[in-house]
Amino acid sequence: MTIDGEYTFRAPRETVWELLQDPDVLVKALPGAKKLERIGEDRFDGIMRVGVGPVTAAEWSVNVQLKDLVPPESYAMQMEGKSPLGFTRGTGTVTLVAEDEATTRMHYHGDVQLGGKIAGVGQRLLDQVAKLLARQGLEALNREVEARLAR
Amino acid sequence: MKPAPFEYHRPGTTDEAVTLLAEHGWEAKLLAGGQSLIPAMNFRLAQPGVLIDLNNVEELAYIRDGDVGLHIGAMTRQRSAERSELVAARAPLVHEALPFVAHPQIRSRGTIGGSIAHADPASELPAVTLALEARFRLRSPRGARSVSADEFFTGLFGTALESDELLAEIEIPPPADGAGWGFAEISRRHGDYGLAGLAAAVQLDGDGKCSKARLALLSVGDGPVLATSAAETLLGAEPSEEAIRAAANAAAHRDIDPPSDIHASAAYRRRLVEVLTRRVLPRAFDRARGVDLKPITHEA
Amino acid sequence: MNRSYVGQSVPRNEDRRLLTGQALFVDDVQLEGMLHVAFLRSDHAHALIRGVDVSAALARPGVAAVYTAEDLGDYWRPGPLLVPPPPVEGLTFNEATQVPLAKEKVFHVGEPIALVVAESRYVAEDALADILVDFEPLGAVVDPEAALAPDAPILHTQFGTNLAAHVVQGHGDYEQAKAEADLVISRRFLYDRGAACALENRAVAARWDPKAEELTVWDTTQAPIPIRNGLARMLGLLESQVHVVAPFVGGGFGPKIMMFYPEEVLIPWVAMKLGQPVKWTEDRQENFYATTQERGQVHDAEIAVTQDGRILGVRDFFLHDTGAYDSYGLTVPINSQCTLLGPYSVPSYHSEFKAVFTNKITVTPVRGAGRQHGVFVMERLLDLAARALGMDPAEIRRRNYLGNEAFPYNHQIIFQDFSPLFYDSGDYLPALETALETIGYDSFREEQRRMREAGRHIGVGVVSYIEGTGIGPYEGARVTIDPSGRVRVATGLGTQGQGHYTAFAQVVAEVLDVDVEQVHVTTGDTREFGWGTGTFASRGAVVAGSACHAAAQAVREKILAMAGRVLEAVEEQIELSDGHVRVRGAPERSLSLGELARMANPLRGAVKPGTEPGLEATAYFGPDRGSTASGVHAMIVEVDPETAMVEIKRYVVVHDCGRLINPMIVEGQVQGGVAQGIGNAFYEKLIFDDSGQLLNASFMDYLLPTALDVPRVEMAHRETPAPMNPLGLKGVGEAGCIPTGAAFAQAVEDALPEYGLEILEIPLSPNRLFSLLEDAHDH
Amino acid sequence: MTSPVELSVRVNGASHQRSVEPRLLLSDFLRHELNLTGTHVGCEHGVCGACTILMDGEAVRSCLIFAVQADGHELTTVEGLAAGDDALHPLQTAFREAHGLQCGFCTPGFLMTLIPFLRDNPTPSDREIREGISGNLCRCTGYQNIVQAVRLAAERMAPEATP
C-alpha cells in the first residue's frame, strides 16, 4: 500500500523540522499513540492503539527509525509495528520545501506493508483507513505547529 | 474467532445508558443489533473494554408518524421497519433500500440506529438518510440535541456523536408534493456490501423542472457521499435524458474520489456510479410525476 | 420377487439424523475434562524464527500448556510424502513436506508456530496474544514464474531452487505436426487459486484411555484408515490401539484428505501427554490460512490444426504453484496434463510442467484436482482456433472427438494412478448433440439477435471434458446379516455428503433383496472396518461400491448354502427375497434372514469344517485402472457490458458416468459441482499480495456463490457402462465443476462479439472483466 | 462485569438457567452448554448462516449474539422442529424427498431460516425462495434441490392443503 500526499504548514521550515524530531510532539501526531520514547540516535519505540470505527483493537508496539537526515530538508524512515492482529512494516520519506519564510510544504511518501489477520480481513477499508490516519496525524501535527508558534 | 473479554452492562432506559456512557467514555461501545460490531469482535478487530447493550432499552424501539415526518427509534429492528406500512408510505426510499441491507437474519437483529451510528461507507441507511435530509436526535446526560444528516456523518466511521452521546431517534421528513425517489446498488452477490450504490431523492416543481435533487452515494468514499455537482446540473432543468446523462457524468467524475480495493478499482466504481445514476434517476423522476413503479431489484 | 434398487432415486438413509440435528460432527464431541486448543500462526509468509517466548501465555489463568517445536522432541519430524512421483522417465522431484510446528523458518502465512491448550477456546485465543515471536522477515516468493528467476529467494534451501518438480510427457512429434498445420494458435492462460471452503471447518478431538491403552481420535478426514496407520506409527502404538472416527463430515472437496495436517499430528500427542481429552476446531479464518488450497497454474499452450479444424497436435508448457510444500506429490499437475487431452484425438502432444514452491498455503487436490485447468486450456484453444477458422465452436469439437471404435484408448502418457492414461469407454458425439438440442443451440442465434435489438447481450458456451475416475488401489467392505434381520455394511472410506449410507445400501439391498432402509452402513470408523484408502478422485461409489457388491454376493452365497442345509433343499431351489429364504414351490418352508443369521452363530453343536460362523463376508475391489467419465456442459449467459456483471441464464449438463446407482444423488453431485465451478469461474479467487499475504481471508471477501448466483441445472444422463467393474460404474463427484470455467469464458465472449474479447484467465471477476472491456474498447 | 452473568432462557420449550461469561457467543452456549449441537458454526462472522436459529420466532445468526442477550427470550433450534421422535417437520420431510441436503452441515441453518420465511410468505416464487435463502451458504447441493424442497414444503404446508 502506498500513501502519498502533501500538506502545508503555516510555519518556517526549521520549526516544522524541529517538531518532527520531538517525541513529545510526534506522540500527539501518531494516531492513537500512547507513548513514544527515544531509544537511541533517531530511534523511537512506542505503543499505539489505533481506533477507527469499531476497530479499537489491541495495542501495537511500534519502532521508528529515522535515516538519511538532511536537516531541515528531508529524511527517510523505517517503521515496524506488531500486534496480535498482525504486523506492519513500512518505509517513508518526508521532504520539506520552504514555500516562503513562513510556509512549509511537506511531501510525504510511504510504502506500507500489512501482514497477518489484519491484512486478511481489512482490505475493504484499508485505503480509507490509511487516508484517515494520515490526515489525522497531519492535522494533529499542524495543531502542534500552531501551538508552538503562538507561544 | 472468539471475542476478547469485556465488561457488560444492560441498561433498561436511555437515561441509564447515557449515564453508563458518560462513566466509561471512549472505552465503552454501545451494542445495538451487533451485526457489524460482533463480527469485528469475533475477529478481535474490535476489543471494547466495556459493552453497553441497548437491547433492553425498549423505549428506543418505535415507529411513529408526526407533524414533521416519521420518527424511528434507534433500536427499531431493520426487519420491523422493512415490514412497516408506515415506513412504506411515509419513507418509501427507506422501504426500498432496506432489502439491500444484508440478509433477513441480519435485519431481524440489526437496528436502524445501529447502522446509522456505525457509519460504514458501504452501508445503505447512512446514504438513504443523507438523501432524505433526515435529522438525528442525540441523547447524553447533558440533554438532547438534533443534528442533520449532513452534519452527522463526518468521515470514515465518523459521526457527530460525542463520547457520552447515543443516537436516540431518526426523523425523516415526509415526502413533499412532487417528490420522487430511487435506490439501487451493484454488489457481487445479493446482500453483500455494494461496490457502489445510490440513494436519490428528487423533487419536481409545477413546471416539471427539478427543484431538488439529493444523490447520496455509498461505497465510493469515506462515508456516504452527496453528489453535489450532479445535483446542480439537474436543478432548474427538465430531467431529460441529456440532463440525467450530464448528472451521471458529474457524479462519476466530479463528485467522488472512490477507493480501489480487491473488489473494484476506482475506475470501475466511477463507471458503476455513472450507470447507477443513469438508471436510478429516471425512476425517481417518474415517481415524482406520480408514476407508480415497482422497486428496482438488486440486479439494477 | 427380486427388486431392483440400483438405478433408483431412493431417499437417503442418513437424512433423518442430519435433518434433526442428531448427526455427530467432530466439533460436537464433548468429553469430561476436555481441553481446547488454539494455534499461534505465522503472520509472515517467509521469515526466520529467532525466538519464541511463551512465558506470559503459560502464566495466564486457564492455560494448561503451551507447546512449540522445541517441546516436541523426537516427535517433531516432517510429514510423509503422500503420493510419490509417478514413474515418468526423466522426472525431477524435490520432496519437501510440512512439519508439525515451524522450528527455524516459516514458509507461509498461517503456518503454526505454537499451540495453546486451555480450559476453553476463548482463553486459548486470549493466550495467543501473550506469545512473542521474534521474526526475521525474508523476501517472499509469490508468483511461480518469478520463483524460478535466478535471484529469487529460495524456500527450501537444500534444493538451491524453488523447482519442486519437472515432468515432460507426450506422444507423437509435435514439431512435425506444427510444420504441417494450416493454423497454429498460441496463448498464455491463467487459472488462479481458490479455496474448497467446506462449510464445516476441520476439527480433531482425541482421548487417551490409559487403562485400555487406547487412543480415540475424531477427525474430519476423508481418509480415516491412513490417519490411523500413520498415527500409530508416529506414536509408537499398534494400529489396533488407535481408533479413528470420521463421523459425519461437513463437506470434504479434497483438502480433508491432506495428511498429515500439523493439527492431526499434534492433538492426539497433546491428549496423550496431558492425559486429558483435547479438541481443536478450526475457525473460518484459520481455514483460509491452514487448510490446503486449489492450484494456480500458468500455461503457455499451442494448438496446431488443419484448415478443416482437425487437431494435429498440442504443446503446453505450464507452471504449477504447489505452495510451500509438495506433500501431495504431483497428482494435481499430472491431472492437468492428462485431462487436457479431453475426449479428442490428439495425434501429437508435448506437455511439460514445472511445479514451483511459493510462500503460500500448500496445494493439494480440490474437487476437480487440476482437471479443470487442462480442460480450460484445451477448450479455449479449440474456441480460438474455431474463431480463426470461421467455424462454429460446436463443429470443431464434433470433428475431433474420438470415435466409439477407439476404445479402449491409450494416450501413452502416465496418469495420476501411475498407469497409462487409458480411456475405458465413451460415447462422446451423442452427448454433444443432446446438449445442443437441450439448450436450443440452433435457434439461439436468432434469439441472440432479437435480444441484441432490445439492447441485451446474451451468449452461449458449449464445452466437453473427460474425467479419469475411480482409481485404485482398493477399497473393501464387510456385509453382515444381523440377527435382527437388518444388514450391516462397513467400509473404510469416510463420507462427506455423497450419500454413501444410501448408495452402498442400494448395491447391497439389490443383491440380498432387502429394503434399502434395512441396510445399515457404517463408514469412516476404523474399528468397524480397518482396511482402505480414502474418498478422493471420484472413486467412492466405483471402488467401495464394487467392494460392497462383491461382499454382498459372497453373503448371498452363504445364505443360499446355509438355507439349503437348514431347509433341506438343494441350493438351486432356494429363493431369496424380501428378507426371507424360501424353498421354491413350498412357501411354508421359509425363514427370515434374521433367523438364519441366529442359526449361523449357534451356542451348541459345531460349526462344520470349511464353513464359518455368521452370515458375513468381506471383499475387496482393486481396479487395474480407473474408468473415464465424460460430458458436455452448455451455458447461456447475459452480460451487462456497462456494469460488467454476468448472469447465468441457463445451464445444461449432459453427463456420462456409466451406470447410475442413485440418479437423485448423481444429479445432486453434478448440480453441486456446477455451483462450485461457477464460484471458480466468477466469484472465488484467493488474492495474495507481493509479500505473500492473503487479502481476502473471510467469507466477506472470498465470495461463495449463493442461491441467487447458481441457476437450475438441466441435466441429461447417458450411460456408457464401465467395462472394468461389475456394476459398470464411473465416478461423478468432481464432474460438475471441471468444465464450468471454459464454458463461462466461451459464453461471455459470445455475448460480446463486438469487443473481440479473449478470455484467457479464470476466475474472471466483474472488476477484471470491466478492465478487459475497457482495454478492448481502447483498441 | 467480565464476571459471569445470570441467564434464563427457554429453548425448544424447556427453561434453562445458567451463569455465563458475557463474551460467550449464543452459538457456543447452545452447542456446548446445552449440548444442542444441531446448530452448526461455519464462519462466526455472520455470512454463512449455518448457525441460524429462531429468537422469538425470527431467524437470527446465533454467532452474532452473546448468550447473555438471550436472557428472557424464547429460542428454537433445529432439535425443536420435529414434533416427536419419529415425526419430521414437513420442511424436513421435503428436504429429504427433494434431496435438499448432502453433507447436511448447513442444513439446520437453512431449515431455521425457512420457518419464518414460509410463515411470512406461504406461497413464494422460486425467485423469492432464492432470495430468502441467499443468506445461507451451501457448498454441496448447488441450491436447486433446496429450492425444490421449499416449493414442496410450501405446497404441503399451505393452509388449504390441510383438511
Side-chain angles (χ1 to χ4, degrees), chain B residues 210-225:
Chain B
C210 177
S211 57
K212 187 183 241 184
R214 283 178 68 90
L215 312 182
L217 296 159
L218 59 89
S219 259
V220 295
D222 60 2
V225 177

Side-chain angles (χ1 to χ4, degrees), chain A residues 41-116:
Chain A
E41 182 76 5
D42 304 320
R43 285 178 75 97
F44 303 89
D45 262 356
I47 301 285
M48 286 169 71
R49 190 161 183 222
V50 181
V52 180
V55 187
T56 45
E59 290 182 339
W60 291 70
S61 60
V62 293
N63 173 275
V64 182
Q65 171 155 30
L66 305 185
K67 299 202 301 200
D68 307 332
L69 283 91
V70 186
E73 272 177 35
S74 66
Y75 63 91
M77 64 178 158
Q78 218 165 351
M79 195 267 291
E80 278 183 30
K82 268 203 281 196
S83 94
L85 288 177
F87 69 90
T88 174
R89 289 195 296 166
T91 54
T93 53
V94 172
T95 313
L96 299 179
V97 179
E99 293 277 286
D100 56 42
E101 283 183 5
T103 313
T104 307
R105 194 162 67 220
M106 174 199 276
H107 298 270
Y108 58 91
H109 172 89
D111 286 305
V112 181
Q113 184 204 334
L114 273 183

Side-chain angles (χ1 to χ4, degrees), chain C residues 602-626:
Chain C
L603 286 173
R604 292 289 184 276
V607 172
K608 292 209 175 84
T611 67
E612 293 165 351
L615 297 175
E616 177 173 287
T618 299
Y620 298 89
F621 181 75
D624 284 345
R625 295 184 177 116

